[in-house]
Amino acid sequence: KRLSSTELYLKRRKALTQSFGSTKVQRSLREGEINRISNMDIASGSAVQTVLRKKATVADAKEEIDANKEAARRQNLPPFHADAKSPTDVYVLDEIMTKNFSRELKRKYTDYVTLAKSGMEKISELESRRHICHFVAYQLKRIANRELSDKAVIKSILKSLPYIECLVRFYFRGRSSERSAQSLSEAMGGHTPVPLAEYLLTTFMEASEMNPSQMQRPRLLENRLLLRIFATALAAEKGALGYHRLAALAKTFQQPVQWLLGYFSELGCKILEEKSSELGDVGEGDRSRVKYKRVVLHVPLTFPTAVKRTMRR
């Protein structure tokens, strides 16, 4: 079909604009094409229907993508309130742990309250004997050393520590486990009550295809477990963790702090530079060479555009 002079002009103009036009000019061209309807098309209504169909298809596709992202996020993250008005209400400790597990871990909570009062030496001894992980020991030392004045935060931290200890021990059990909750509870040295062991197996493991008597933890479920640990630590401290707490968490997993940041970003945190006044014993020379980070929840809550399905160790 031979093009008319007008059609030829429009075709050449489009080619030149796409090659050399500014972003603004290109956008204007696209908008013009969408809105351009010939007299014949107006009479038939076909152009209007075509444009509406295209817009509806795009809108439906975007809505479906957004719904899939939200579903994946809800599946991987612990319970959260996307419409929370305060950072403290985004992740609620009692909702993460659930009241049943809080009751199951009450004895360990009492033990940790006593341990925090016993002093730094006892805490260090238990850490060296691997009775408690490094992050739990660090938090207990903060309380023992009276670094915290907010009694509500102290109680919240102490309440979270038995749960975090349990999850960390389960993480280091590896990617395979027996099916029996009773066996898992015994293997974890009494740190995990049987109902909680059952929950760990059903939430963070799946049946092995090669060996039906065994459970396995694929990468996606491992990420879910790590996100649960980090969200618990975050919820215990009003939605913010400074550099030293991040460093203690990273050391627990034998990783650099940078490794943690992707997980906290997935939880909806902003990654900020740590305040100089909070660095404490970090030397001035180190401060000039390294960017020290802290993580903070902000509302309204925003998540990364893409849901990270795998995060390598």
PDB file of all heavy atoms in Angstrom, residues 77 80-84 90-91 267-270 297-303:
ATOM      1  N   LEU A  77       7.247 -13.408  54.213  1.00  0.00           N
ATOM      2  CA  LEU A  77       7.481 -12.570  55.383  1.00  0.00           C
ATOM      3  C   LEU A  77       6.630 -13.022  56.564  1.00  0.00           C
ATOM      4  O   LEU A  77       5.582 -13.632  56.381  1.00  0.00           O
ATOM      5  CB  LEU A  77       7.157 -11.110  55.069  1.00  0.00           C
ATOM      6  CG  LEU A  77       7.973 -10.410  53.986  1.00  0.00           C
ATOM      7  CD1 LEU A  77       7.617  -8.928  53.934  1.00  0.00           C
ATOM      8  CD2 LEU A  77       9.462 -10.580  54.208  1.00  0.00           C
ATOM      9  N   PHE A  80       2.654  -8.973  58.896  1.00  0.00           N
ATOM     10  CA  PHE A  80       2.971  -7.542  58.933  1.00  0.00           C
ATOM     11  C   PHE A  80       1.732  -6.730  58.580  1.00  0.00           C
ATOM     12  O   PHE A  80       0.772  -7.243  58.002  1.00  0.00           O
ATOM     13  CB  PHE A  80       4.119  -7.206  57.970  1.00  0.00           C
ATOM     14  CG  PHE A  80       3.803  -7.393  56.514  1.00  0.00           C
ATOM     15  CD1 PHE A  80       3.274  -6.362  55.749  1.00  0.00           C
ATOM     16  CD2 PHE A  80       4.034  -8.612  55.886  1.00  0.00           C
ATOM     17  CE1 PHE A  80       2.981  -6.532  54.398  1.00  0.00           C
ATOM     18  CE2 PHE A  80       3.743  -8.801  54.545  1.00  0.00           C
ATOM     19  CZ  PHE A  80       3.217  -7.750  53.798  1.00  0.00           C
ATOM     20  N   HIS A  81       1.772  -5.444  58.950  1.00  0.00           N
ATOM     21  CA  HIS A  81       0.672  -4.527  58.680  1.00  0.00           C
ATOM     22  C   HIS A  81       1.169  -3.456  57.719  1.00  0.00           C
ATOM     23  O   HIS A  81       1.851  -2.517  58.127  1.00  0.00           O
ATOM     24  CB  HIS A  81       0.171  -3.903  59.985  1.00  0.00           C
ATOM     25  CG  HIS A  81      -0.319  -4.918  60.977  1.00  0.00           C
ATOM     26  ND1 HIS A  81      -1.593  -5.439  60.943  1.00  0.00           N
ATOM     27  CD2 HIS A  81       0.304  -5.530  62.025  1.00  0.00           C
ATOM     28  CE1 HIS A  81      -1.740  -6.319  61.924  1.00  0.00           C
ATOM     29  NE2 HIS A  81      -0.604  -6.389  62.590  1.00  0.00           N
ATOM     30  N   ALA A  82       0.826  -3.609  56.445  1.00  0.00           N
ATOM     31  CA  ALA A  82       1.324  -2.687  55.421  1.00  0.00           C
ATOM     32  C   ALA A  82       0.781  -1.277  55.610  1.00  0.00           C
ATOM     33  O   ALA A  82       1.403  -0.313  55.173  1.00  0.00           O
ATOM     34  CB  ALA A  82       0.960  -3.209  54.032  1.00  0.00           C
ATOM     35  N   ASP A  83      -0.397  -1.153  56.245  1.00  0.00           N
ATOM     36  CA  ASP A  83      -1.018   0.160  56.422  1.00  0.00           C
ATOM     37  C   ASP A  83      -0.776   0.747  57.814  1.00  0.00           C
ATOM     38  O   ASP A  83      -1.481   1.655  58.239  1.00  0.00           O
ATOM     39  CB  ASP A  83      -2.520   0.075  56.157  1.00  0.00           C
ATOM     40  CG  ASP A  83      -3.210  -0.964  57.051  1.00  0.00           C
ATOM     41  OD1 ASP A  83      -2.488  -1.724  57.741  1.00  0.00           O
ATOM     42  OD2 ASP A  83      -4.453  -1.018  57.055  1.00  0.00           O
ATOM     43  N   ALA A  84       0.234   0.226  58.523  1.00  0.00           N
ATOM     44  CA  ALA A  84       0.532   0.704  59.880  1.00  0.00           C
ATOM     45  C   ALA A  84       0.861   2.195  59.875  1.00  0.00           C
ATOM     46  O   ALA A  84       1.498   2.693  58.950  1.00  0.00           O
ATOM     47  CB  ALA A  84       1.691  -0.085  60.475  1.00  0.00           C
ATOM     48  N   VAL A  90       4.277  -2.215  62.488  1.00  0.00           N
ATOM     49  CA  VAL A  90       4.449  -2.972  61.240  1.00  0.00           C
ATOM     50  C   VAL A  90       4.627  -4.457  61.552  1.00  0.00           C
ATOM     51  O   VAL A  90       3.891  -5.318  61.042  1.00  0.00           O
ATOM     52  CB  VAL A  90       5.657  -2.449  60.434  1.00  0.00           C
ATOM     53  CG1 VAL A  90       5.871  -3.328  59.195  1.00  0.00           C
ATOM     54  CG2 VAL A  90       5.436  -1.003  60.013  1.00  0.00           C
ATOM     55  N   TYR A  91       5.604  -4.778  62.375  1.00  0.00           N
ATOM     56  CA  TYR A  91       5.828  -6.151  62.829  1.00  0.00           C
ATOM     57  C   TYR A  91       5.591  -6.172  64.345  1.00  0.00           C
ATOM     58  O   TYR A  91       6.266  -5.463  65.091  1.00  0.00           O
ATOM     59  CB  TYR A  91       7.248  -6.615  62.522  1.00  0.00           C
ATOM     60  CG  TYR A  91       7.548  -6.691  61.041  1.00  0.00           C
ATOM     61  CD1 TYR A  91       8.270  -5.667  60.411  1.00  0.00           C
ATOM     62  CD2 TYR A  91       7.107  -7.757  60.273  1.00  0.00           C
ATOM     63  CE1 TYR A  91       8.539  -5.720  59.048  1.00  0.00           C
ATOM     64  CE2 TYR A  91       7.369  -7.815  58.904  1.00  0.00           C
ATOM     65  CZ  TYR A  91       8.082  -6.796  58.298  1.00  0.00           C
ATOM     66  OH  TYR A  91       8.341  -6.842  56.950  1.00  0.00           O
ATOM     67  N   LEU A 267      12.293  -6.665  54.226  1.00  0.00           N
ATOM     68  CA  LEU A 267      11.336  -6.455  55.319  1.00  0.00           C
ATOM     69  C   LEU A 267      10.705  -5.066  55.275  1.00  0.00           C
ATOM     70  O   LEU A 267       9.788  -4.776  56.049  1.00  0.00           O
ATOM     71  CB  LEU A 267      12.025  -6.663  56.669  1.00  0.00           C
ATOM     72  CG  LEU A 267      12.392  -8.107  57.030  1.00  0.00           C
ATOM     73  CD1 LEU A 267      13.306  -8.141  58.253  1.00  0.00           C
ATOM     74  CD2 LEU A 267      11.139  -8.943  57.278  1.00  0.00           C
ATOM     75  N   GLY A 268      11.193  -4.217  54.382  1.00  0.00           N
ATOM     76  CA  GLY A 268      10.639  -2.874  54.254  1.00  0.00           C
ATOM     77  C   GLY A 268      11.459  -1.799  54.933  1.00  0.00           C
ATOM     78  O   GLY A 268      10.987  -0.667  55.100  1.00  0.00           O
ATOM     79  N   CYS A 269      12.684  -2.130  55.339  1.00  0.00           N
ATOM     80  CA  CYS A 269      13.538  -1.165  56.043  1.00  0.00           C
ATOM     81  C   CYS A 269      14.254  -0.226  55.077  1.00  0.00           C
ATOM     82  O   CYS A 269      14.568  -0.611  53.947  1.00  0.00           O
ATOM     83  CB  CYS A 269      14.593  -1.888  56.878  1.00  0.00           C
ATOM     84  SG  CYS A 269      13.948  -2.719  58.331  1.00  0.00           S
ATOM     85  N   LYS A 270      14.532   0.952  55.552  1.00  0.00           N
ATOM     86  CA  LYS A 270      15.431   1.869  54.872  1.00  0.00           C
ATOM     87  C   LYS A 270      16.843   1.612  55.412  1.00  0.00           C
ATOM     88  O   LYS A 270      17.035   1.419  56.615  1.00  0.00           O
ATOM     89  CB  LYS A 270      15.046   3.328  55.143  1.00  0.00           C
ATOM     90  CG  LYS A 270      13.633   3.682  54.725  1.00  0.00           C
ATOM     91  CD  LYS A 270      13.456   3.631  53.220  1.00  0.00           C
ATOM     92  CE  LYS A 270      12.055   4.091  52.815  1.00  0.00           C
ATOM     93  NZ  LYS A 270      11.815   3.908  51.368  1.00  0.00           N
ATOM     94  N   LEU A 297      12.608   1.012  59.978  1.00  0.00           N
ATOM     95  CA  LEU A 297      11.318   0.921  59.311  1.00  0.00           C
ATOM     96  C   LEU A 297      10.696   2.314  59.214  1.00  0.00           C
ATOM     97  O   LEU A 297      10.718   3.069  60.199  1.00  0.00           O
ATOM     98  CB  LEU A 297      10.370   0.005  60.095  1.00  0.00           C
ATOM     99  CG  LEU A 297      10.534  -1.501  59.899  1.00  0.00           C
ATOM    100  CD1 LEU A 297       9.668  -2.256  60.895  1.00  0.00           C
ATOM    101  CD2 LEU A 297      10.185  -1.916  58.477  1.00  0.00           C
ATOM    102  N   HIS A 298      10.175   2.647  58.037  1.00  0.00           N
ATOM    103  CA  HIS A 298       9.468   3.911  57.853  1.00  0.00           C
ATOM    104  C   HIS A 298       8.044   3.620  57.413  1.00  0.00           C
ATOM    105  O   HIS A 298       7.770   2.614  56.756  1.00  0.00           O
ATOM    106  CB  HIS A 298      10.163   4.769  56.785  1.00  0.00           C
ATOM    107  CG  HIS A 298      11.361   5.497  57.286  1.00  0.00           C
ATOM    108  ND1 HIS A 298      11.284   6.643  58.026  1.00  0.00           N
ATOM    109  CD2 HIS A 298      12.693   5.235  57.154  1.00  0.00           C
ATOM    110  CE1 HIS A 298      12.501   7.065  58.329  1.00  0.00           C
ATOM    111  NE2 HIS A 298      13.379   6.217  57.815  1.00  0.00           N
ATOM    112  N   VAL A 299       7.130   4.481  57.803  1.00  0.00           N
ATOM    113  CA  VAL A 299       5.754   4.389  57.317  1.00  0.00           C
ATOM    114  C   VAL A 299       5.428   5.660  56.535  1.00  0.00           C
ATOM    115  O   VAL A 299       5.937   6.740  56.888  1.00  0.00           O
ATOM    116  CB  VAL A 299       4.751   4.184  58.478  1.00  0.00           C
ATOM    117  CG1 VAL A 299       4.913   2.809  59.082  1.00  0.00           C
ATOM    118  CG2 VAL A 299       4.916   5.252  59.559  1.00  0.00           C
ATOM    119  N   PRO A 300       4.626   5.561  55.472  1.00  0.00           N
ATOM    120  CA  PRO A 300       4.008   4.336  54.961  1.00  0.00           C
ATOM    121  C   PRO A 300       5.056   3.337  54.473  1.00  0.00           C
ATOM    122  O   PRO A 300       6.072   3.722  53.897  1.00  0.00           O
ATOM    123  CB  PRO A 300       3.121   4.827  53.816  1.00  0.00           C
ATOM    124  CG  PRO A 300       3.727   6.121  53.392  1.00  0.00           C
ATOM    125  CD  PRO A 300       4.283   6.743  54.634  1.00  0.00           C
ATOM    126  N   LEU A 301       4.776   2.073  54.717  1.00  0.00           N
ATOM    127  CA  LEU A 301       5.718   1.001  54.422  1.00  0.00           C
ATOM    128  C   LEU A 301       5.875   0.825  52.914  1.00  0.00           C
ATOM    129  O   LEU A 301       4.907   0.821  52.165  1.00  0.00           O
ATOM    130  CB  LEU A 301       5.201  -0.298  55.035  1.00  0.00           C
ATOM    131  CG  LEU A 301       6.149  -1.496  55.082  1.00  0.00           C
ATOM    132  CD1 LEU A 301       7.332  -1.206  55.981  1.00  0.00           C
ATOM    133  CD2 LEU A 301       5.401  -2.732  55.590  1.00  0.00           C
ATOM    134  N   THR A 302       7.121   0.706  52.469  1.00  0.00           N
ATOM    135  CA  THR A 302       7.405   0.426  51.060  1.00  0.00           C
ATOM    136  C   THR A 302       8.357  -0.759  50.970  1.00  0.00           C
ATOM    137  O   THR A 302       9.276  -0.880  51.772  1.00  0.00           O
ATOM    138  CB  THR A 302       8.040   1.640  50.353  1.00  0.00           C
ATOM    139  OG1 THR A 302       9.240   2.029  51.053  1.00  0.00           O
ATOM    140  CG2 THR A 302       7.081   2.814  50.313  1.00  0.00           C
ATOM    141  N   PHE A 303       8.120  -1.611  49.985  1.00  0.00           N
ATOM    142  CA  PHE A 303       8.948  -2.787  49.775  1.00  0.00           C
ATOM    143  C   PHE A 303       9.724  -2.635  48.474  1.00  0.00           C
ATOM    144  O   PHE A 303       9.352  -1.828  47.617  1.00  0.00           O
ATOM    145  CB  PHE A 303       8.078  -4.051  49.700  1.00  0.00           C
ATOM    146  CG  PHE A 303       7.422  -4.422  50.995  1.00  0.00           C
ATOM    147  CD1 PHE A 303       6.067  -4.241  51.172  1.00  0.00           C
ATOM    148  CD2 PHE A 303       8.168  -4.944  52.040  1.00  0.00           C
ATOM    149  CE1 PHE A 303       5.452  -4.584  52.368  1.00  0.00           C
ATOM    150  CE2 PHE A 303       7.566  -5.290  53.242  1.00  0.00           C
ATOM    151  CZ  PHE A 303       6.210  -5.109  53.400  1.00  0.00           C
TER     152      PHE A 303
END
